[in-house]
Amino acid sequence: MKLLAIDGNSIINRAFYGIRLLTTKDGKYTNAVYGFINILNRLKELHNPDGIAVAFDVKKPTFRHEKYAEYKAGRHATPEELLEQFAPLKEWLTAMGYTVIECPGFEADDILGTLAGVCENSGNECVIATGDKDSLQLISPYVTVALSATRAGAPEVIHFGEKALFEKYGLTPKGMIELKALMGDSSDNIPGVAGVGEKTATDLISRFGSIDYIYEHLEELDIKAGVKAKLEAGKESAFFSRWLGTISKEAPINLDINAYKDKPINQNEVARIMTSLEFFKLMEKMGISPVATKVQENTTQTEIKEASLEELIKTEPKKVSMVMEYGGFGVSANGLSAFAEKNEGLDLLANENIEKVLFDYKNIYKEVVQNGVTPKNVVFDTMLAGYVCNPSASSYDLERLSAEYSAVAEINSQDEAIRLAAINGEVAKALEKELKETGQDKLFYEIELPLAAVLGDMEMAGIALDKQALILHGEALAKQIAELEKEIFSLIGYEFNLNSPKQLGVALFEELGLPCKKKTKSGYSTNAEVLEELRNEHPAVSKIIKYRGLAKLKSTYCDSLVSATEEDGRIHSTFNQTETRTGRISSLEPNLQNIPVRTEEGRVFRKFFIADSGKTLVDADYSQIELRVLAHMANDQVMCEAFNSGADIHTSTAAEVFGMHPEFVTPLMRSRAKAVNFGIVYGIGAFSLAKDIGVSNREAKAYIESYLKTFEGVASFMEKTISSAKENGYVTTIFGRRRYLPELSSSNHMLRAFGERVARNAPIQGTAADIIKIAMVNVFKRLKAENINARLILQVHDELIIESDEACAELAAAILKEEMQNAAKMKVELTADVNIGKTWYEAKG
């Protein structure tokens, strides 16, 4: 038999500190359990044991403490975030059929030692998994140690047998105990011999074998006089330290090796525990199906039978659940679930008398519209509802949502579409209740659900690209890049791979001898921040910065946009409605939201986004929407008055903060006021602000304090928001969107500070995101209602773009401006700057 004996405390600690804090939606910490399971799965795969035993310490004094009260004194208390993860881990281990062992009066090490002894005595194999070198003393012909370690900043497991141990330390397993007797162990508060360190101790034990031999022959041994004096003075401490550091093999545990063979897995319990921890991707990897853990009140397991579509329709359903799958649709209603061929499904979706509960409305909308049908009476989307209820989740597939929110009886069907339609209907009932209970139902029904159709329409429309012009621009950039490369090589004196940070580091810091600003585990850092600091040290540096900028523009924008252009000459980006925690829409394949705007070299890319022949682009951009939201939410009279008077908010802020008339505000003052304005929105601290505007921390702190003193409403709002977030565990936007913040209850100062920054920012950024979504829905509806040949095609942060016939461009612009400015009624007016042009560059104004 092969036994895998795990030091539970050591491995869970490594997992906790090696993985960033993870939490479930309701704030349960999970990173240590998640990491532990992954480590255990890797160990299982590597060693294929017949049994697994996991040893844990018990929070009671051990036999060592009884003799030496200072044993392990001074160790930091275990963080609460880790403590709470022990119980679910032990539950999971037990459910998996593994043995969990705790033994009052003994440490986990002693349990491992006893298990190692059991294997030795019975001729069985034992692999000890730990992060503690103490276990190396247990190595024998039957026992190996899988030691978790960190090398060059990366985690790894080093396997030690007797040979590997000797190669690494030049000692036998017993020699490791003798080593600790002399050098002690500060982490366990084992004293050792005062003045004898690891190097000296290793030399003594490798030469003489044990402290018994050393002390029996101390006078005659070839040892330096100073070391000999230290040994004489520390004799009692050496023998006591050896006793303290020796792992016991006599813990009173079950000595029958067969008792540790793996037991049958309790599948339901494992699934319940992992579902409650929201380990859905890990469960998928392990082949474990989620189970319902959060069955809502009044939500019962529903018996759903498979039927034909004809039988289902005969029940005259008023509402059906539909899932698009396998070229058709799963349909569920009135206790029946059926498969609808594509055309049958399209007819059902076009039926305005039947309410539709869908999964992923946006993609169904596109499929239906592309087949000449308009979906009618869509009342719910479980994927979107799952996102609104839990914006931090990693996915919103039906299996996961079913496990988190609902329960559905198994149905006897081999058809996945039929099964998913049944699940979808049950999940919808639970999510409807959750939305109402959290006060997010209006947000869902009035903003998110109708927006899905808008985004689907925008994806189908796409935006035209002048592909040939962009190719020519890429070729021009390539020439500039090649010229820069030659100039850089000439200045440095030799050719090398400019795109290799390692080779560039050698060139700058060894060949040119420039001052090294920062080193990484792989060599010199040559990131943008480092190069910017070196800009004036050598003429090559500024050229390298320019080279990198142009190379990125060519690869990220020229090359990728050309390859993303489809046969119709347009780019059809995907707009993701369920990705960000703030509620903002993201764009991918390609990401059109990161088209550069800070430099003219970047802005030029907007010239390649064009209107089709006979059409024009209408662009509208909210003016300082987040600051306007802040003024409204904070009810800050000074800020509200500045906005409503039409004054430049940054100049006005500078005048207030510096106590002067606006006309005396210098460009530098305005720039710093702008940095503070936007910094406050993002919860900026003095250190970051100082870095951003090039002043001392003290000056930056003074700016922030002066700002908050001037805008008392903002200061009060920030304080109240954080206080409320700590009390409730979340913050909300004006429209009720929640952002959960478990970080606020962390014992870690950095995490709490992060939580406070997010608490200040999320209501503002989230509200701004909600407002632009409302504007998108209203613009979409208005253009259709007025039958204008114009279409919303792009959303980038606070900017909306319409492609319109030239003849009705002015009317489209008026509608766009009106709907954006009236998207929300606040204490300050929303303003949108509108421009018209044949390219995005022209329309941006």
Side-chain angles (χ1 to χ4, degrees):
M1 175 179 165
K2 182 191 278 190
L3 177 68
L4 175 60
I6 299 174
D7 184 340
N9 288 79
S10 172
I11 300 300
I12 196 173
N13 266 277
R14 285 196 167 265
F16 178 76
Y17 290 107
I19 299 175
R20 67 178 178 82
L21 277 183
L22 302 173
T23 67
T24 59
K25 178 192 161 191
D26 57 2
K28 289 196 297 262
Y29 290 97
T30 61
N31 61 317
V33 183
Y34 182 84
F36 191 105
I37 294 173
N38 274 313
I39 292 169
L40 175 52
N41 286 343
R42 285 200 299 272
L43 288 166
K44 268 188 74 176
E45 192 177 317
L46 192 63
H47 296 287
N48 192 26
D50 302 298
I52 294 175
V54 186
F56 288 98
D57 292 334
V58 177
K59 203 173 181 182
K60 288 181 180 177
T62 66
F63 67 90
R64 293 180 182 86
H65 291 95
E66 289 173 4
K67 248 190 179 180
Y68 183 53
E70 291 81 12
Y71 180 63
K72 292 193 176 180
R75 280 198 174 185
H76 294 297
T78 305
E80 285 296 324
E81 294 89 341
L82 173 55
L83 276 176
E84 70 176 52
Q85 297 186 60
F86 277 86
L89 173 62
K90 291 173 186 176
E91 285 179 25
W92 181 84
L93 289 166
T94 303
M96 284 293 293
Y98 308 141
T99 305
V100 172
I101 316 175
E102 295 172 319
C103 189
F106 290 80
E107 295 177 66
D109 277 352
D110 300 319
I111 297 170
L112 297 178
T114 306
L115 289 172
V118 168
C119 288
E120 286 175 335
N121 294 336
S122 56
N124 289 290
E125 187 179 349
C126 180
V127 178
I128 295 172
T130 181
D132 190 346
K133 287 182 183 177
D134 288 352
S135 291
L136 295 174
Q137 65 182 267
L138 298 173
I139 292 171
S140 76
Y142 296 96
V143 180
T144 56
V145 171
L147 187 70
S148 295
T150 302
R151 184 178 289 179
E156 65 173 351
V157 175
I158 305 169
H159 290 85
F160 283 99
E162 290 177 303
K163 184 181 177 184
L165 179 70
F166 192 82
E167 287 174 355
K168 173 75 174 173
Y169 295 102
L171 298 172
T172 64
K174 286 185 179 178
M176 298 301 290
I177 306 174
E178 306 296 327
L179 181 71
K180 184 166 281 198
L182 294 180
M183 65 177 279
D185 185 343
S186 58
S187 66
D188 288 345
N189 210 28
I190 295 175
V193 173
V196 174
E198 183 174 6
K199 188 177 178 182
T200 300
T202 303
D203 172 66
L204 290 171
I205 300 303
S206 62
R207 284 201 289 151
F208 306 120
S210 70
I211 60 171
D212 297 295
Y213 185 87
I214 288 170
Y215 280 106
E216 284 171 11
H217 305 87
L218 190 58
E219 292 302 321
E220 62 207 64
L221 294 179
D222 178 20
I223 300 173
K224 289 180 182 178
V227 173
K228 195 173 286 188
K230 289 172 185 175
L231 289 170
E232 285 175 346
K235 181 177 180 180
E236 186 178 341
S237 180
F239 282 96
F240 183 60
S241 294
R242 184 172 69 177
W243 178 83
L244 278 174
T246 301
I247 293 174
S248 171
K249 292 189 176 182
E250 297 178 356
I253 61 172
N254 193 333
L255 302 182
D256 179 4
I257 189 67
N258 293 310
Y260 300 106
K261 284 183 178 177
D262 289 346
K263 298 160 192 67
I265 298 173
N266 185 335
Q267 294 279 2
N268 286 339
E269 185 65 3
V270 169
R272 181 195 67 76
I273 295 165
M274 295 185 77
T275 300
S276 72
L277 296 171
E278 298 177 8
F279 289 167
F280 299 105
K281 289 239 171 112
L282 187 53
M283 292 171 76
E284 187 180 332
K285 192 176 174 184
M286 293 175 67
I288 299 166
S289 298
V291 297
T293 60
K294 189 179 179 182
V295 181
Q296 306 286 315
E297 285 179 40
N298 307 321
T299 299
T300 56
Q301 282 204 330
T302 304
E303 179 104 16
I304 295 174
K305 298 176 182 176
E306 186 175 348
S308 69
L309 184 63
E310 186 181 359
E311 288 172 320
L312 188 149
I313 296 298
K314 279 182 181 177
T315 66
E316 299 183 354
K318 293 181 179 178
K319 181 188 284 188
V320 295
S321 162
M322 295 183 70
V323 173
M324 187 167 67
E325 193 86 15
Y326 301 128
F329 296 87
V331 184
S332 184
N334 297 339
L336 300 178
S337 195
F339 183 78
E341 297 294 341
K342 186 174 181 178
N343 288 337
E344 295 172 321
L346 294 177
D347 290 342
L348 196 53
L349 284 159
N351 188 327
E352 60 188 15
N353 297 315
I354 299 177
E355 293 181 340
K356 266 73 71 175
V357 173
L358 306 180
F359 175 82
D360 195 359
Y361 177 25
K362 184 187 74 173
N363 277 333
I364 291 177
Y365 176 90
K366 286 164 63 179
E367 179 69 25
V368 173
V369 171
Q370 284 167 349
N371 281 277
V373 176
T374 302
K376 303 280 178 60
N377 212 351
V378 174
V379 297
F380 207 79
D381 179 344
T382 47
M383 185 178 79
L384 282 181
Y387 166 67
V388 171
C389 290
N390 184 3
S392 300
S394 57
S395 68
Y396 300 96
D397 61 84
L398 272 172
E399 299 284 6
R400 180 197 178 287
L401 292 173
S402 178
E404 185 173 358
Y405 291 103
S406 181
V408 62
E410 288 290 326
I411 59 170
N412 297 318
S413 175
Q414 298 299 310
D415 193 309
E416 186 70 354
I418 289 175
R419 189 179 75 85
L420 291 176
I423 292 172
N424 190 58
E426 296 305 306
V427 168
K429 294 174 190 175
L431 284 169
E432 284 172 5
K433 189 170 187 292
E434 181 86 356
L435 287 167
K436 194 169 183 179
E437 286 178 350
T438 58
Q440 297 181 98
D441 46 343
K442 193 173 180 182
L443 168 77
F444 172 78
Y445 290 110
E446 295 183 9
I447 301 177
E448 295 293 353
L449 188 62
L451 181 68
V454 179
L455 295 177
D457 199 74
M458 288 166 60
E459 288 182 10
M460 288 188 293
I463 185 168
L465 190 85
D466 189 339
K467 187 174 178 180
Q468 196 54 42
L470 186 56
I471 290 171
L472 291 173
H473 184 66
E475 290 171 356
L477 280 178
K479 286 180 182 176
Q480 289 184 62
I481 291 165
E483 284 301 317
L484 274 170
E485 197 171 43
K486 286 180 185 175
E487 291 172 20
I488 292 165
F489 292 155
S490 174
L491 286 165
I492 291 177
Y494 68 98
E495 293 186 8
F496 60 95
N497 181 0
L498 263 175
N499 298 313
S500 164
K502 189 172 184 179
Q503 291 184 38
L504 180 60
V506 170
L508 294 178
F509 305 113
E510 293 182 12
E511 298 298 328
L512 296 182
L514 299 185
C516 176
K517 300 289 182 181
K518 187 179 177 184
K519 287 200 83 170
T520 66
K521 62 187 178 187
S522 57
Y524 301 102
S525 172
T526 59
N527 64 23
E529 186 180 354
V530 168
L531 291 184
E532 201 56 52
E533 288 183 38
L534 294 170
R535 185 186 280 273
N536 298 320
E537 297 284 343
H538 193 280
V541 179
S542 61
K543 291 187 181 295
I544 291 167
I545 293 170
K546 188 170 183 181
Y547 168 88
R548 278 188 175 178
L550 293 180
K552 182 175 181 181
L553 287 176
K554 185 180 182 305
S555 63
T556 306
Y557 303 109
C558 283
D559 300 345
S560 66
L561 288 174
V562 166
S563 63
T565 308
E566 298 186 17
E567 287 182 9
D568 61 359
R570 300 174 77 88
I571 285 179
H572 297 268
S573 181
T574 298
F575 296 101
N576 197 326
Q577 199 176 347
T578 61
E579 184 177 306
T580 69
R581 296 184 181 189
T582 60
R584 277 188 174 271
I585 300 162
S586 63
S587 161
L588 63 152
E589 295 178 348
N591 181 1
L592 296 181
Q593 297 192 342
N594 71 351
I595 299 297
V597 295
R598 292 181 184 272
T599 65
E600 183 55 35
E601 290 168 327
R603 283 192 292 272
V604 76
F605 280 91
R606 294 189 172 200
K607 291 181 179 180
F608 306 111
F609 292 90
I610 60 174
D612 265 347
S613 177
K615 295 182 181 294
T616 192
L617 299 180
V618 182
D619 180 294
D621 198 350
Y622 274 121
S623 171
Q624 299 159 338
I625 187 171
E626 291 188 352
L627 288 178
R628 291 172 191 270
V629 168
L630 173 61
H632 169 81
M633 294 187 79
N635 194 23
D636 189 289
Q637 298 306 308
V638 177
M639 192 177 283
C640 287
E641 190 178 318
F643 273 120
N644 291 331
S645 70
D648 175 79
I649 188 63
H650 303 310
T651 299
S652 181
T653 298
E656 292 287 348
V657 171
F658 295 115
M660 61 177 61
H661 194 276
E663 66 184 54
F664 296 117
V665 171
T666 66
L668 180 61
M669 288 175 175
R670 184 188 181 278
S671 174
R672 289 180 174 175
K674 182 178 180 179
V676 179
N677 266 330
F678 287 115
I680 290 293
V681 170
Y682 287 88
I684 201 166
F687 177 78
S688 297
L689 179 63
K691 200 171 180 183
D692 288 349
I693 63 177
V695 298
S696 67
N697 286 355
R698 187 175 178 181
E699 286 176 282
K701 186 170 183 286
Y703 283 144
I704 293 172
E705 287 174 353
S706 180
Y707 179 98
L708 294 175
K709 190 174 180 181
T710 302
F711 298 104
E712 293 180 353
V714 173
S716 176
F717 167 72
M718 295 298 184
E719 288 176 13
K720 286 176 182 175
T721 299
I722 292 170
S723 176
S724 172
K726 286 179 177 177
E727 184 180 342
N728 298 316
Y730 60 85
V731 290
T732 61
T733 67
I734 291 173
F735 302 94
R737 185 185 303 279
R738 288 189 180 186
R739 170 77 183 267
Y740 294 93
L741 292 168
E743 295 90 350
L744 288 173
S745 61
S746 172
S747 62
N748 182 290
H749 169 72
M750 298 288 284
L751 274 172
R752 281 200 314 278
F754 167 76
E756 290 181 7
R757 286 196 300 275
V758 175
R760 287 191 289 264
N761 166 246
I764 301 161
Q765 193 179 90
T767 296
D770 291 342
I771 289 172
I772 200 161
K773 285 180 173 181
I774 293 167
M776 292 170 75
V777 171
N778 291 347
V779 168
F780 180 78
K781 288 179 179 176
R782 181 92 177 270
L783 292 174
K784 281 188 177 296
E786 300 201 14
N787 200 25
I788 296 170
N789 197 3
R791 197 173 187 181
L792 190 60
I793 60 169
L794 193 59
Q795 181 266 345
V796 178
H797 305 306
D798 306 327
E799 180 181 359
L800 296 181
I801 299 172
I802 285 174
E803 186 175 45
S804 166
D805 273 1
E806 290 176 345
C808 56
E810 292 294 341
L811 180 54
I815 289 172
L816 184 57
K817 186 179 184 77
E818 184 180 326
E819 293 302 338
M820 286 180 73
Q821 293 187 165
N822 292 320
K825 299 299 179 189
M826 300 195 300
K827 299 179 182 78
V828 294
E829 291 182 0
L830 288 172
T831 64
D833 303 317
V834 184
N835 291 284
I836 298 173
K838 289 296 290 181
T839 70
W840 187 5
Y841 187 89
E842 287 177 16
K844 183 63 181 168

